[in-house]
Amino acid sequence: MDDLGMATGTQDKSWTIGRIVTAAVAILAVLGLAWLLVSLSDFVLLVFAAVVLACIFDAMAQGIGRLTGLKSRGLKLTIAVIVLLLVFIGTFALFGAQFAQEFETITASIPPALQQVEGLLQRLGYGGTLTSLLDQGTQDLSSVASRIGTYALAVGSGLTDFVLVFFAAIFIAADPGLHRRGLVLLMPRKAEKPARDFLDDCGNGLRGWMLGQAVSSVLVGTLTWAGLALLGVPAAGGLGLIAGLLDVIPLVGPVLAGIPAVLLAFTVSPMTALWSVGLFLVIQQLQGNVLQPMIQKRAVDVPPAVLLFAVFGAGVLFGGLGVLLAAPLTIVLFLFVQRIYVRDILRKPITVAGQEKPDESGAGD
């Protein structure tokens, strides 16, 4: 009996040690994976950017198939890529010289505009702290100009990354099912169906976001261009292009686009600057109350506070590329929380993106 008790105790002790070792290995594996993702964050973001661009190509190919009746995916994808390239090349061919000249005007006009703002603040009796901030901003601009060579190298590296992302997106869009099956095969068998559903949600959400965002950017850029031109603000076309591009950044983008526009409006008159502020407020209201709900209806209804924190968080963690990809990253993470955590793990009925009523199929299984 004593031998049997000792054997049982030894087995229990071995089982406990085995569980501790297994848990320790699992924790180390998770920490190692997290460290690897942080270390390769730039690479991971480039892969994600390629996936987002592949979704654009896929959506364009589907639209071309509906319009033309073509069945060959390769042919539809080729037409989509050519059309996108022709749009960019045609835009720069028609307006490239004009935009370049207007950007030079913007760069040359900002220092005098800062001086005019400083003089106005001094006349109003608010020149102390605000003037020092403007002086600091002028010094920062001078510092940026002195490091233009370093930034040129960064731009060159960014162009290389863009070329890699562009061709990677073509390969992914050529056979998305292959990459989808590869991801699903990495999951445990019980997780294969949730993984497929999550990938479907991501595809629908990203395609809807990109379609709505394209419409929003074009309208914001056009309205900004037209409004500033009517007010007589210099380089209205370049400022409209900046506003359209920065519209991709949720909530923060319109504010960033308004700063150079208002500064250049000061070179005309303080009243023009006030009218420019009013113009951006009207466009912001249109974007927030009309365009943004349209995007969320087609994509994922992410709360504005979540989007705002996502922009700042992505900027802190990943820099400028993270800010540009903040919206699609937030959509994917939001869908992950909805589909995987709330619906499949917590077993709660929720409305997942694209569904018109709560999805209760996972509840009570």
Side-chain angles (χ1 to χ4, degrees):
M1 292 293 294
D2 292 340
D3 292 339
L4 180 60
M6 292 177 61
T8 303
T10 302
Q11 291 178 355
D12 292 341
K13 185 177 181 180
S14 299
W15 173 249
T16 302
I17 294 175
R19 294 183 65 181
I20 293 174
V21 171
T22 301
V25 170
I27 293 173
L28 290 176
V30 171
L31 292 177
L33 180 60
W35 174 83
L36 184 63
L37 289 177
V38 172
S39 302
L40 299 177
S41 59
D42 291 342
F43 171 75
V44 173
L45 279 181
L46 290 177
V47 172
F48 182 74
V51 172
V52 172
L53 186 56
C55 290
I56 295 177
F57 289 149
D58 181 66
M60 293 179 63
Q62 291 181 12
I64 291 171
R66 287 191 295 268
L67 291 174
T68 63
L70 293 174
K71 301 298 182 182
S72 172
R73 181 172 185 84
L75 182 58
K76 291 187 292 185
L77 180 61
T78 301
I79 295 174
V81 173
I82 292 175
V83 167
L84 190 62
L85 287 176
L86 288 177
V87 168
F88 280 106
I89 294 174
T91 301
F92 281 105
L94 292 174
F95 305 106
Q98 178 183 351
F99 284 139
Q101 183 178 0
E102 292 189 345
F103 286 140
E104 291 179 1
T105 302
I106 294 172
T107 304
S109 301
I110 285 180
L114 287 172
Q115 293 177 0
Q116 292 189 22
V117 173
E118 180 180 354
L120 177 63
L121 291 175
Q122 288 179 347
R123 289 194 298 270
L124 295 175
Y126 298 102
T129 304
L130 293 177
T131 300
S132 64
L133 290 176
L134 289 174
D135 290 339
Q136 182 62 42
T138 305
Q139 294 174 7
D140 291 341
L141 288 175
S142 301
S143 176
V144 169
S146 66
R147 293 197 295 255
I148 192 68
T150 304
Y151 294 140
L153 293 176
V155 170
S157 176
L159 290 175
T160 302
D161 292 339
F162 175 78
V163 172
L164 293 175
V165 168
F166 186 83
F167 284 100
I170 294 176
F171 293 138
I172 295 173
D175 191 359
L178 174 65
H179 302 86
R180 172 193 168 96
R181 290 191 297 272
L183 287 174
V184 172
L185 285 175
L186 296 176
M187 304 296 167
R189 189 171 297 277
K190 290 183 178 180
E192 288 183 357
K193 185 180 183 305
R196 285 193 294 268
D197 294 337
F198 171 65
L199 292 176
D200 289 339
D201 293 337
C202 290
N204 295 332
L206 289 176
R207 280 192 293 269
W209 169 78
M210 286 180 292
L211 180 59
Q213 186 60 62
V215 174
S216 176
S217 294
V218 171
L219 287 177
V220 168
T222 303
L223 291 174
T224 303
W225 186 342
L228 294 177
L230 289 174
L231 292 174
V233 177
L239 294 170
L241 179 61
I242 292 174
L245 294 176
L246 290 179
D247 187 63
V248 177
I249 304 175
L251 305 175
V252 180
V255 177
L256 297 177
I259 294 174
V262 174
L263 286 176
L264 262 69
F266 263 103
T267 62
V268 180
S269 70
M271 186 57 65
T272 304
L274 289 177
W275 280 109
S276 299
V277 172
L279 172 66
F280 274 91
L281 289 176
V282 171
I283 294 176
Q284 176 64 19
Q285 290 299 313
L286 175 64
Q287 200 270 353
N289 296 319
V290 178
L291 300 179
Q292 195 63 34
M294 178 187 67
I295 296 173
Q296 292 176 346
K297 181 179 179 181
R298 287 186 169 273
V300 182
D301 191 7
V302 181
V306 174
L307 276 176
L308 182 61
F309 287 122
V311 171
F312 285 107
V316 171
L317 291 175
F318 308 119
L321 184 58
V323 172
L324 291 177
L325 296 174
L329 277 171
T330 305
I331 288 174
V332 171
L333 292 176
F334 197 75
L335 286 170
F336 179 84
V337 172
Q338 282 190 323
R339 168 68 68 176
I340 304 300
Y341 180 69
V342 178
R343 178 188 179 278
D344 292 322
I345 295 180
L346 299 183
R347 304 288 184 175
K348 294 182 178 180
I350 60 169
T351 300
V352 181
Q355 297 179 359
E356 297 181 355
K357 60 182 180 179
D359 185 354
E360 299 183 9
S361 59
D365 290 347

